[in-house]
Amino acid sequence: TVSTATESKPSQLLEAVTCYAPATPKVYHLPSMSEVFVQWDAPPVRGGACHVKNYQVLVEVVNLTDDSNVSSMTFMTGNAWASQQRVTQLTPEMPYRFRVRS
């Protein structure tokens, strides 16, 4: 036999929050032909939601003919307070695009 199931009371209402992305990164230092330092502004915080634990800096080699991504690398920051990242292993004379993900 199957018994009648009981149901709990509903939870409190929660609002889904869309997190903001970090600002567009900028290359601010070129110490050598194969490395750069990339800097960005942290995204705004919405009432304590969307706490950033660290950032990923995505580095894409770009095909200038069609603006497609040829290859990519990812660099991780060590913490949420980082607003810059050293990017190494770059090939001179290659076009790169940088993105930051939180």
mmCIF file of all heavy atoms in Angstrom, residues 19-23 40-44 50-58 76-77 79-80 82 99-102:
data_model
loop_
_atom_site.group_PDB
_atom_site.id
_atom_site.type_symbol
_atom_site.label_atom_id
_atom_site.label_comp_id
_atom_site.label_asym_id
_atom_site.label_seq_id
_atom_site.Cartn_x
_atom_site.Cartn_y
_atom_site.Cartn_z
ATOM 1 N N CYS A 19 25.109 38.406 -11.237
ATOM 2 C CA CYS A 19 26.386 39.005 -10.854
ATOM 3 C C CYS A 19 26.953 39.807 -12.020
ATOM 4 O O CYS A 19 26.745 39.468 -13.176
ATOM 5 C CB CYS A 19 27.372 37.913 -10.460
ATOM 6 S SG CYS A 19 26.795 36.952 -9.061
ATOM 7 N N TYR A 20 27.657 40.866 -11.679
ATOM 8 C CA TYR A 20 28.300 41.691 -12.688
ATOM 9 C C TYR A 20 29.664 41.120 -13.050
ATOM 10 O O TYR A 20 30.325 40.495 -12.230
ATOM 11 C CB TYR A 20 28.484 43.126 -12.181
ATOM 12 C CG TYR A 20 27.197 43.857 -11.921
ATOM 13 C CD1 TYR A 20 26.781 44.135 -10.641
ATOM 14 C CD2 TYR A 20 26.404 44.276 -12.984
ATOM 15 C CE1 TYR A 20 25.598 44.822 -10.405
ATOM 16 C CE2 TYR A 20 25.223 44.961 -12.761
ATOM 17 C CZ TYR A 20 24.825 45.227 -11.468
ATOM 18 O OH TYR A 20 23.657 45.900 -11.246
ATOM 19 N N ALA A 21 30.082 41.387 -14.252
ATOM 20 C CA ALA A 21 31.410 40.975 -14.712
ATOM 21 C C ALA A 21 32.436 42.033 -14.311
ATOM 22 O O ALA A 21 32.091 43.202 -14.140
ATOM 23 C CB ALA A 21 31.413 40.812 -16.231
ATOM 24 N N PRO A 22 33.700 41.616 -14.183
ATOM 25 C CA PRO A 22 34.750 42.617 -13.958
ATOM 26 C C PRO A 22 34.832 43.568 -15.150
ATOM 27 O O PRO A 22 34.388 43.244 -16.252
ATOM 28 C CB PRO A 22 36.024 41.778 -13.856
ATOM 29 C CG PRO A 22 35.567 40.383 -13.604
ATOM 30 C CD PRO A 22 34.216 40.260 -14.213
ATOM 31 N N ALA A 23 35.418 44.729 -14.923
ATOM 32 C CA ALA A 23 35.585 45.711 -16.001
ATOM 33 C C ALA A 23 36.532 45.165 -17.075
ATOM 34 O O ALA A 23 37.318 44.251 -16.826
ATOM 35 C CB ALA A 23 36.141 47.008 -15.433
ATOM 36 N N TRP A 40 42.361 45.204 -14.085
ATOM 37 C CA TRP A 40 40.924 45.403 -14.245
ATOM 38 C C TRP A 40 40.351 45.956 -12.946
ATOM 39 O O TRP A 40 40.983 45.895 -11.893
ATOM 40 C CB TRP A 40 40.225 44.090 -14.613
ATOM 41 C CG TRP A 40 40.404 43.034 -13.567
ATOM 42 C CD1 TRP A 40 39.579 42.775 -12.507
ATOM 43 C CD2 TRP A 40 41.486 42.114 -13.457
ATOM 44 N NE1 TRP A 40 40.082 41.751 -11.745
ATOM 45 C CE2 TRP A 40 41.259 41.322 -12.315
ATOM 46 C CE3 TRP A 40 42.632 41.868 -14.211
ATOM 47 C CZ2 TRP A 40 42.126 40.321 -11.913
ATOM 48 C CZ3 TRP A 40 43.498 40.866 -13.806
ATOM 49 C CH2 TRP A 40 43.250 40.100 -12.676
ATOM 50 N N ASP A 41 39.143 46.471 -13.021
ATOM 51 C CA ASP A 41 38.407 46.906 -11.839
ATOM 52 C C ASP A 41 37.467 45.788 -11.421
ATOM 53 O O ASP A 41 36.853 45.127 -12.272
ATOM 54 C CB ASP A 41 37.589 48.163 -12.137
ATOM 55 C CG ASP A 41 38.470 49.377 -12.395
ATOM 56 O OD1 ASP A 41 39.579 49.441 -11.825
ATOM 57 O OD2 ASP A 41 38.055 50.248 -13.173
ATOM 58 N N ALA A 42 37.347 45.595 -10.128
ATOM 59 C CA ALA A 42 36.451 44.557 -9.599
ATOM 60 C C ALA A 42 35.003 44.900 -9.936
ATOM 61 O O ALA A 42 34.651 46.074 -10.046
ATOM 62 C CB ALA A 42 36.619 44.441 -8.094
ATOM 63 N N PRO A 43 34.161 43.877 -10.093
ATOM 64 C CA PRO A 43 32.743 44.158 -10.354
ATOM 65 C C PRO A 43 32.067 44.714 -9.107
ATOM 66 O O PRO A 43 32.505 44.437 -7.985
ATOM 67 C CB PRO A 43 32.182 42.780 -10.715
ATOM 68 C CG PRO A 43 33.091 41.812 -10.053
ATOM 69 C CD PRO A 43 34.443 42.456 -10.030
ATOM 70 N N PRO A 44 31.010 45.490 -9.281
ATOM 71 C CA PRO A 44 30.275 45.985 -8.113
ATOM 72 C C PRO A 44 29.616 44.820 -7.375
ATOM 73 O O PRO A 44 29.253 43.817 -7.986
ATOM 74 C CB PRO A 44 29.234 46.931 -8.701
ATOM 75 C CG PRO A 44 29.220 46.704 -10.158
ATOM 76 C CD PRO A 44 30.451 45.954 -10.531
ATOM 77 N N CYS A 50 27.196 37.448 -4.808
ATOM 78 C CA CYS A 50 28.221 37.317 -5.841
ATOM 79 C C CYS A 50 29.626 37.569 -5.292
ATOM 80 O O CYS A 50 30.431 38.259 -5.913
ATOM 81 C CB CYS A 50 27.951 38.249 -7.019
ATOM 82 S SG CYS A 50 26.345 38.007 -7.762
ATOM 83 N N HIS A 51 29.922 37.021 -4.158
ATOM 84 C CA HIS A 51 31.246 37.187 -3.567
ATOM 85 C C HIS A 51 32.295 36.533 -4.475
ATOM 86 O O HIS A 51 32.191 35.369 -4.809
ATOM 87 C CB HIS A 51 31.288 36.555 -2.177
ATOM 88 C CG HIS A 51 32.622 36.617 -1.541
ATOM 89 N ND1 HIS A 51 33.172 37.799 -1.090
ATOM 90 C CD2 HIS A 51 33.537 35.667 -1.306
ATOM 91 C CE1 HIS A 51 34.364 37.559 -0.590
ATOM 92 N NE2 HIS A 51 34.606 36.271 -0.707
ATOM 93 N N VAL A 52 33.291 37.301 -4.882
ATOM 94 C CA VAL A 52 34.342 36.804 -5.770
ATOM 95 C C VAL A 52 35.393 36.075 -4.942
ATOM 96 O O VAL A 52 35.868 36.603 -3.937
ATOM 97 C CB VAL A 52 34.996 37.973 -6.548
ATOM 98 C CG1 VAL A 52 36.180 37.489 -7.353
ATOM 99 C CG2 VAL A 52 33.970 38.645 -7.445
ATOM 100 N N LYS A 53 35.751 34.858 -5.365
ATOM 101 C CA LYS A 53 36.785 34.086 -4.669
ATOM 102 C C LYS A 53 38.136 34.244 -5.345
ATOM 103 O O LYS A 53 39.168 34.234 -4.704
ATOM 104 C CB LYS A 53 36.387 32.620 -4.618
ATOM 105 C CG LYS A 53 35.167 32.406 -3.767
ATOM 106 C CD LYS A 53 34.833 30.951 -3.648
ATOM 107 C CE LYS A 53 33.711 30.837 -2.647
ATOM 108 N NZ LYS A 53 32.666 30.029 -2.900
ATOM 109 N N ASN A 54 38.134 34.362 -6.642
ATOM 110 C CA ASN A 54 39.350 34.624 -7.425
ATOM 111 C C ASN A 54 38.931 34.994 -8.840
ATOM 112 O O ASN A 54 37.751 35.015 -9.152
ATOM 113 C CB ASN A 54 40.320 33.436 -7.412
ATOM 114 C CG ASN A 54 39.710 32.164 -7.957
ATOM 115 O OD1 ASN A 54 38.805 32.192 -8.787
ATOM 116 N ND2 ASN A 54 40.181 31.028 -7.490
ATOM 117 N N TYR A 55 39.891 35.293 -9.659
ATOM 118 C CA TYR A 55 39.628 35.674 -11.046
ATOM 119 C C TYR A 55 40.381 34.756 -11.990
ATOM 120 O O TYR A 55 41.438 34.220 -11.646
ATOM 121 C CB TYR A 55 40.098 37.116 -11.311
ATOM 122 C CG TYR A 55 39.312 38.162 -10.562
ATOM 123 C CD1 TYR A 55 39.751 38.646 -9.342
ATOM 124 C CD2 TYR A 55 38.132 38.676 -11.085
ATOM 125 C CE1 TYR A 55 39.040 39.617 -8.663
ATOM 126 C CE2 TYR A 55 37.417 39.644 -10.409
ATOM 127 C CZ TYR A 55 37.878 40.107 -9.193
ATOM 128 O OH TYR A 55 37.157 41.072 -8.527
ATOM 129 N N GLN A 56 39.840 34.588 -13.175
ATOM 130 C CA GLN A 56 40.532 33.908 -14.273
ATOM 131 C C GLN A 56 40.818 34.955 -15.337
ATOM 132 O O GLN A 56 39.926 35.719 -15.708
ATOM 133 C CB GLN A 56 39.652 32.835 -14.920
ATOM 134 C CG GLN A 56 39.358 31.654 -14.072
ATOM 135 C CD GLN A 56 38.472 30.664 -14.823
ATOM 136 O OE1 GLN A 56 37.729 31.028 -15.725
ATOM 137 N NE2 GLN A 56 38.550 29.418 -14.426
ATOM 138 N N VAL A 57 42.053 34.982 -15.795
ATOM 139 C CA VAL A 57 42.407 35.843 -16.921
ATOM 140 C C VAL A 57 42.531 34.934 -18.135
ATOM 141 O O VAL A 57 43.364 34.031 -18.164
ATOM 142 C CB VAL A 57 43.727 36.602 -16.661
ATOM 143 C CG1 VAL A 57 44.108 37.435 -17.876
ATOM 144 C CG2 VAL A 57 43.579 37.493 -15.437
ATOM 145 N N LEU A 58 41.651 35.136 -19.098
ATOM 146 C CA LEU A 58 41.645 34.334 -20.316
ATOM 147 C C LEU A 58 42.445 35.073 -21.375
ATOM 148 O O LEU A 58 42.192 36.252 -21.645
ATOM 149 C CB LEU A 58 40.216 34.115 -20.806
ATOM 150 C CG LEU A 58 39.245 33.571 -19.751
ATOM 151 C CD1 LEU A 58 37.821 33.648 -20.246
ATOM 152 C CD2 LEU A 58 39.617 32.168 -19.375
ATOM 153 N N MET A 76 45.066 31.978 -13.281
ATOM 154 C CA MET A 76 44.219 32.182 -12.104
ATOM 155 C C MET A 76 44.906 33.108 -11.118
ATOM 156 O O MET A 76 46.113 32.982 -10.875
ATOM 157 C CB MET A 76 43.968 30.844 -11.397
ATOM 158 C CG MET A 76 43.182 29.852 -12.216
ATOM 159 S SD MET A 76 41.456 30.275 -12.362
ATOM 160 C CE MET A 76 40.904 30.027 -10.701
ATOM 161 N N THR A 77 44.124 34.023 -10.541
ATOM 162 C CA THR A 77 44.659 34.838 -9.454
ATOM 163 C C THR A 77 44.567 34.030 -8.171
ATOM 164 O O THR A 77 43.778 33.086 -8.063
ATOM 165 C CB THR A 77 43.874 36.149 -9.283
ATOM 166 O OG1 THR A 77 42.533 35.834 -8.908
ATOM 167 C CG2 THR A 77 43.899 36.978 -10.552
ATOM 168 N N ASN A 79 43.577 35.182 -5.187
ATOM 169 C CA ASN A 79 42.536 35.594 -4.252
ATOM 170 C C ASN A 79 41.594 36.605 -4.901
ATOM 171 O O ASN A 79 41.801 37.041 -6.023
ATOM 172 C CB ASN A 79 43.158 36.182 -2.983
ATOM 173 C CG ASN A 79 44.046 37.365 -3.299
ATOM 174 O OD1 ASN A 79 43.613 38.337 -3.904
ATOM 175 N ND2 ASN A 79 45.307 37.289 -2.900
ATOM 176 N N ALA A 80 40.588 36.992 -4.134
ATOM 177 C CA ALA A 80 39.563 37.909 -4.648
ATOM 178 C C ALA A 80 40.018 39.357 -4.678
ATOM 179 O O ALA A 80 39.401 40.177 -5.330
ATOM 180 C CB ALA A 80 38.305 37.800 -3.782
ATOM 181 N N ALA A 82 42.845 40.456 -5.828
ATOM 182 C CA ALA A 82 43.716 40.718 -6.976
ATOM 183 C C ALA A 82 42.966 41.527 -8.021
ATOM 184 O O ALA A 82 41.809 41.260 -8.302
ATOM 185 C CB ALA A 82 44.208 39.409 -7.581
ATOM 186 N N ARG A 99 40.521 38.651 -21.423
ATOM 187 C CA ARG A 99 39.215 38.724 -20.757
ATOM 188 C C ARG A 99 39.420 38.339 -19.291
ATOM 189 O O ARG A 99 40.309 37.558 -18.992
ATOM 190 C CB ARG A 99 38.205 37.741 -21.367
ATOM 191 C CG ARG A 99 37.911 37.968 -22.825
ATOM 192 C CD ARG A 99 36.989 36.854 -23.316
ATOM 193 N NE ARG A 99 36.952 36.778 -24.755
ATOM 194 C CZ ARG A 99 36.019 37.333 -25.502
ATOM 195 N NH1 ARG A 99 35.051 38.003 -24.945
ATOM 196 N NH2 ARG A 99 36.051 37.212 -26.801
ATOM 197 N N VAL A 100 38.572 38.851 -18.427
ATOM 198 C CA VAL A 100 38.631 38.499 -17.017
ATOM 199 C C VAL A 100 37.282 37.949 -16.609
ATOM 200 O O VAL A 100 36.240 38.509 -16.920
ATOM 201 C CB VAL A 100 39.014 39.715 -16.142
ATOM 202 C CG1 VAL A 100 39.018 39.335 -14.671
ATOM 203 C CG2 VAL A 100 40.374 40.252 -16.551
ATOM 204 N N ARG A 101 37.331 36.833 -15.897
ATOM 205 C CA ARG A 101 36.122 36.161 -15.418
ATOM 206 C C ARG A 101 36.202 36.085 -13.894
ATOM 207 O O ARG A 101 37.251 35.767 -13.354
ATOM 208 C CB ARG A 101 36.115 34.755 -16.015
ATOM 209 C CG ARG A 101 34.818 34.028 -15.932
ATOM 210 C CD ARG A 101 34.957 32.639 -16.525
ATOM 211 N NE ARG A 101 34.861 32.683 -17.970
ATOM 212 C CZ ARG A 101 35.278 31.710 -18.754
ATOM 213 N NH1 ARG A 101 35.859 30.627 -18.251
ATOM 214 N NH2 ARG A 101 35.126 31.802 -20.055
ATOM 215 N N SER A 102 35.089 36.373 -13.221
ATOM 216 C CA SER A 102 35.093 36.261 -11.753
ATOM 217 C C SER A 102 34.259 35.068 -11.332
ATOM 218 O O SER A 102 33.514 34.515 -12.090
ATOM 219 C CB SER A 102 34.549 37.530 -11.110
ATOM 220 O OG SER A 102 33.240 37.806 -11.520
#
